[in-house]
Coordinates of all heavy atoms in Angstrom, one line a residue:
I269 N 3.3 19.1 14.4 CA 4.2 17.9 14.3 C 3.9 17.0 15.5 O 3.9 17.4 16.6 CB 5.7 18.3 14.3 CG1 6.0 19.2 13.1 CG2 6.6 17.0 14.2 CD1 7.4 19.7 13.0
S270 N 3.6 15.7 15.2 CA 3.1 14.8 16.3 C 3.9 13.5 16.3 O 4.5 13.1 15.3 CB 1.6 14.6 16.1 OG 1.4 14.0 14.8
P271 N 3.8 12.8 17.5 CA 4.6 11.6 17.7 C 3.8 10.3 17.3 O 2.7 10.4 16.9 CB 4.9 11.7 19.2 CG 3.7 12.3 19.7 CD 3.1 13.2 18.7
W272 N 4.5 9.2 17.7 CA 3.9 7.9 17.2 C 3.1 7.2 18.3 O 2.5 6.2 18.0 CB 5.1 7.0 16.8 CG 6.2 6.9 17.8 CD1 7.4 7.5 17.7 CD2 6.2 6.2 19.1 NE1 8.2 7.2 18.8 CE2 7.5 6.4 19.7 CE3 5.3 5.4 19.8 CZ2 7.9 5.9 20.9 CZ3 5.7 4.8 21.0 CH2 7.0 5.1 21.5
N273 N 3.0 7.7 19.5 CA 2.4 6.8 20.5 C 0.9 6.9 20.5 O 0.3 5.8 20.7 CB 3.0 7.2 21.9 CG 2.6 8.7 22.3 OD1 2.5 9.5 21.4 ND2 2.3 8.9 23.5
L274 N 0.3 8.0 20.2 CA -1.1 8.1 20.1 C -1.4 8.9 18.8 O -1.7 10.0 18.7 CB -1.7 8.9 21.2 CG -1.4 8.4 22.7 CD1 -1.9 9.4 23.7 CD2 -2.1 7.1 22.9
L278 N -3.2 12.5 18.8 CA -2.4 13.7 19.0 C -2.4 14.5 17.8 O -2.2 15.8 17.9 CB -1.0 13.3 19.5 CG -1.0 12.8 21.0 CD1 0.4 12.3 21.3 CD2 -1.4 13.8 21.9
K296 N 2.8 17.1 10.0 CA 3.6 15.9 9.8 C 3.3 14.9 11.0 O 3.7 15.2 12.1 CB 5.1 16.2 9.7 CG 5.9 15.0 9.2 CD 7.3 15.1 9.4 CE 7.8 14.5 10.7 NZ 7.6 13.0 10.8
P297 N 2.8 13.7 10.6 CA 2.7 12.7 11.7 C 4.1 12.0 11.8 O 5.0 12.2 10.9 CB 1.7 11.7 11.1 CG 1.8 11.9 9.6 CD 2.3 13.3 9.3
S298 N 4.3 11.2 12.8 CA 5.5 10.5 12.9 C 5.7 9.5 11.7 O 4.7 8.9 11.3 CB 5.5 9.6 14.2 OG 6.7 8.8 14.1
E299 N 6.9 9.4 11.3 CA 7.2 8.5 10.1 C 6.9 7.1 10.5 O 6.6 6.2 9.7 CB 8.6 8.7 9.7 CG 9.4 7.6 9.4 CD 10.6 7.3 10.3 OE1 11.0 8.2 11.1 OE2 11.0 6.1 10.4
L300 N 6.9 6.8 11.8 CA 6.6 5.4 12.3 C 5.1 5.0 12.2 O 4.8 3.9 12.1 CB 7.1 5.2 13.7 CG 8.6 5.3 13.9 CD1 9.0 5.3 15.4 CD2 9.4 4.2 13.2
G327 N 7.2 12.0 6.2 CA 8.6 11.8 6.1 C 9.4 11.8 7.4 O 8.8 11.7 8.4
L328 N 10.7 11.9 7.3 CA 11.5 11.9 8.5 C 11.5 13.2 9.2 O 11.5 14.3 8.6 CB 13.0 11.5 8.1 CG 13.2 10.2 7.4 CD1 14.6 10.1 6.8 CD2 12.9 9.1 8.4
G329 N 11.6 13.1 10.5 CA 11.6 14.3 11.3 C 12.8 15.3 11.0 O 12.6 16.5 10.8
A330 N 14.0 14.7 10.8 CA 15.2 15.5 10.6 C 15.1 16.2 9.2 O 15.9 17.1 8.9 CB 16.4 14.7 10.7
C332 N 11.8 16.3 6.7 CA 10.5 16.9 6.5 C 10.1 17.8 7.7 O 9.6 18.9 7.5 CB 9.5 15.8 6.2 SG 7.9 16.3 6.1
G333 N 10.2 17.2 8.9 CA 9.8 18.0 10.1 C 10.6 19.2 10.2 O 10.1 20.3 10.5
K334 N 11.9 19.1 10.0 CA 12.8 20.3 10.2 C 12.5 21.3 9.1 O 12.5 22.5 9.4 CB 14.2 19.8 10.0 CG 15.2 20.9 10.5 CD 16.4 20.3 11.1 CE 17.2 21.4 11.8 NZ 17.9 21.1 13.0
A335 N 12.1 20.9 7.9 CA 11.8 21.8 6.9 C 10.5 22.6 7.2 O 10.4 23.8 6.9 CB 11.6 21.1 5.5
V337 N 9.6 23.4 10.3 CA 10.0 24.3 11.4 C 10.8 25.5 10.8 O 10.6 26.6 11.2 CB 10.8 23.6 12.5 CG1 11.2 24.5 13.5 CG2 9.9 22.5 13.1
F347 N 4.2 21.3 18.6 CA 5.0 20.1 18.5 C 4.7 19.2 19.7 O 4.7 19.7 20.9 CB 6.5 20.4 18.4 CG 7.4 19.2 18.6 CD1 7.6 18.3 17.6 CD2 8.0 19.0 19.9 CE1 8.5 17.2 17.8 CE2 8.8 17.9 20.1 CZ 9.1 17.0 19.0
T348 N 4.5 17.9 19.5 CA 4.5 17.0 20.6 C 5.6 15.9 20.3 O 5.5 15.3 19.2 CB 3.2 16.3 20.8 OG1 2.2 17.4 21.2 CG2 3.2 15.3 22.0
G349 N 6.5 15.6 21.2 CA 7.5 14.6 21.0 C 8.5 14.7 22.1 O 8.3 15.1 23.2
G350 N 9.7 14.2 21.8 CA 10.8 14.1 22.8 C 11.4 15.5 23.1 O 11.3 16.4 22.3
T351 N 12.0 15.5 24.3 CA 12.6 16.8 24.8 C 13.8 17.2 24.0 O 13.9 18.4 23.7 CB 13.0 16.6 26.3 OG1 11.7 16.4 27.0 CG2 13.7 17.8 26.9
T353 N 14.2 16.7 20.8 CA 13.7 17.2 19.5 C 13.1 18.6 19.8 O 13.3 19.5 19.0 CB 12.6 16.3 18.9 OG1 13.0 14.9 19.0 CG2 12.3 16.6 17.5
G354 N 12.4 18.7 20.9 CA 11.8 20.0 21.2 C 12.9 21.1 21.3 O 12.7 22.2 20.8
D356 N 15.7 21.2 19.8 CA 16.2 21.4 18.4 C 15.2 22.3 17.7 O 15.6 23.3 17.0 CB 16.4 20.1 17.6 CG 17.0 20.3 16.3 OD1 18.1 20.8 16.2 OD2 16.3 19.9 15.3
I357 N 13.9 22.1 17.8 CA 12.9 22.9 17.2 C 13.0 24.3 17.7 O 12.9 25.3 17.0 CB 11.5 22.3 17.4 CG1 11.4 21.0 16.6 CG2 10.4 23.3 17.2 CD1 10.1 20.2 16.8
L370 N 5.3 23.4 22.9 CA 6.1 22.2 22.9 C 5.6 21.3 24.0 O 5.7 21.7 25.2 CB 7.6 22.6 23.2 CG 8.3 23.5 22.2 CD1 9.7 23.9 22.6 CD2 8.3 22.9 20.8
E371 N 5.1 20.2 23.6 CA 4.6 19.2 24.6 C 5.6 18.0 24.6 O 5.7 17.3 23.6 CB 3.3 18.6 24.2 CG 2.2 19.7 24.2 CD 1.9 20.2 25.6 OE1 2.1 19.5 26.5 OE2 1.4 21.4 25.6
L372 N 6.4 17.9 25.6 CA 7.6 17.0 25.6 C 7.5 15.8 26.5 O 6.4 15.5 26.9 CB 8.9 17.9 25.8 CG 8.9 19.2 24.9 CD1 10.1 20.0 25.3 CD2 8.9 18.8 23.5
G373 N 8.6 15.3 26.8 CA 8.6 14.0 27.6 C 8.2 14.1 29.0 O 8.0 15.2 29.6
G374 N 8.2 13.0 29.7 CA 7.8 13.0 31.1 C 8.5 11.8 31.9 O 9.0 10.9 31.3
I404 N 2.7 6.2 26.8 CA 1.9 7.4 26.9 C 2.7 8.4 27.7 O 3.3 8.0 28.8 CB 0.5 7.2 27.5 CG1 -0.3 6.1 26.7 CG2 -0.2 8.5 27.7 CD1 -1.7 5.9 27.3
C405 N 2.9 9.6 27.2 CA 3.7 10.5 27.9 C 3.3 10.7 29.4 O 4.0 11.2 30.2 CB 3.7 11.9 27.2 SG 2.1 12.5 26.9
L406 N 2.0 10.4 29.7 CA 1.4 10.6 31.0 C 1.5 9.4 31.9 O 1.1 9.5 33.1 CB -0.1 11.0 30.8 CG -0.3 12.1 29.8 CD1 -1.8 12.1 29.4 CD2 0.1 13.4 30.5
E507 N 13.6 9.3 30.7 CA 12.3 8.8 30.2 C 12.6 7.5 29.4 O 13.4 7.4 28.5 CB 11.7 9.8 29.2 CG 10.3 9.4 28.8 CD 9.7 10.3 27.8 OE1 10.4 10.8 26.9 OE2 8.5 10.6 27.9
F509 N 9.7 5.3 28.4 CA 8.6 5.3 27.5 C 8.2 3.9 27.0 O 8.0 3.7 25.8 CB 8.9 6.2 26.3 CG 7.7 6.9 25.7 CD1 6.9 7.7 26.5 CD2 7.4 6.9 24.3 CE1 5.8 8.4 26.0 CE2 6.3 7.5 23.8 CZ 5.5 8.3 24.7
L535 N 5.6 16.7 33.8 CA 4.4 16.7 33.0 C 3.2 16.4 33.8 O 2.3 17.2 34.0 CB 4.6 15.6 31.9 CG 3.5 15.6 30.8 CD1 3.2 16.9 30.2 CD2 3.8 14.5 29.7
F573 N -3.6 21.7 29.3 CA -2.8 20.5 29.2 C -1.3 20.8 28.8 O -1.1 21.4 27.8 CB -3.4 19.5 28.2 CG -2.6 18.2 28.0 CD1 -3.0 17.1 28.8 CD2 -1.6 18.1 27.2 CE1 -2.3 16.0 28.7 CE2 -0.8 17.0 27.1 CZ -1.2 15.9 27.8
G574 N -0.4 20.4 29.6 CA 1.0 20.6 29.2 C 1.9 20.5 30.5 O 1.4 20.3 31.6
G575 N 3.2 20.6 30.2 CA 4.2 20.3 31.3 C 5.0 21.5 31.7 O 5.0 22.6 31.0
S579 N 9.5 19.3 30.4 CA 8.3 18.6 29.8 C 7.6 19.6 28.8 O 6.6 19.2 28.2 CB 7.4 18.1 30.8 OG 7.9 17.0 31.5
E584 N -1.9 23.2 25.9 CA -2.9 22.9 24.9 C -4.3 22.8 25.6 O -4.3 22.9 26.8 CB -2.6 21.6 24.2 CG -1.2 21.6 23.5 CD -0.9 20.4 22.7 OE1 -1.1 19.3 23.2 OE2 -0.5 20.5 21.5
Ligands
NDP37 P1 10.3 12.6 18.6 O1 10.7 13.8 19.2 O2 11.4 11.7 18.0 O3 9.4 12.9 17.3 C1 8.2 13.6 17.4 C2 7.8 14.1 16.0 O4 8.8 15.1 15.6 C3 7.9 13.1 14.9 O5 6.9 13.4 13.9 C4 9.3 13.2 14.4 O6 9.4 12.7 13.1 C5 9.4 14.7 14.4 N1 10.8 15.2 14.4 C6 11.9 14.5 14.8 N2 13.0 15.3 14.7 C7 12.6 16.5 14.2 C8 13.2 17.8 13.9 N3 14.5 17.9 14.1 N4 12.4 18.8 13.5 C9 11.1 18.6 13.4 N5 10.4 17.5 13.6 C10 11.2 16.4 14.1 O7 9.3 11.8 19.6 P2 8.7 10.4 19.4 O8 8.0 10.3 18.1 O9 9.8 9.4 19.7 O10 7.6 10.4 20.6 C11 7.9 10.0 21.9 C12 8.1 11.3 22.7 O11 7.0 12.1 22.7 C13 8.3 10.9 24.2 O12 9.4 11.7 24.7 C14 7.0 11.3 24.8 O13 7.1 11.7 26.1 C15 6.6 12.5 24.0 N6 5.2 12.8 24.1 C16 4.8 13.9 24.8 C17 3.5 14.2 25.0 C18 3.0 15.4 25.7 O14 1.8 15.7 25.6 N7 3.9 16.1 26.4 C19 2.5 13.3 24.5 C20 3.0 12.1 23.7 C21 4.3 11.9 23.6 P3 9.9 11.1 12.8 O15 9.1 10.3 13.8 O16 9.5 10.9 11.4 O17 11.3 11.2 13.1

Side-chain angles (χ1 to χ4, degrees):
I269 300 176
S270 56
W272 49 257
N273 63 326
L274 304 170
L278 290 175
K296 190 194 97 62
S298 170
E299 141 246 339
L300 295 173
L328 297 170
C332 170
K334 194 147 188 145
V337 177
F347 168 79
T348 298
T351 296
T353 316
D356 186 58
I357 287 174
L370 302 174
E371 298 295 335
L372 309 176
I404 300 183
C405 54
L406 307 163
E507 186 184 40
F509 214 52
L535 186 55
F573 179 92
S579 290
E584 298 186 314

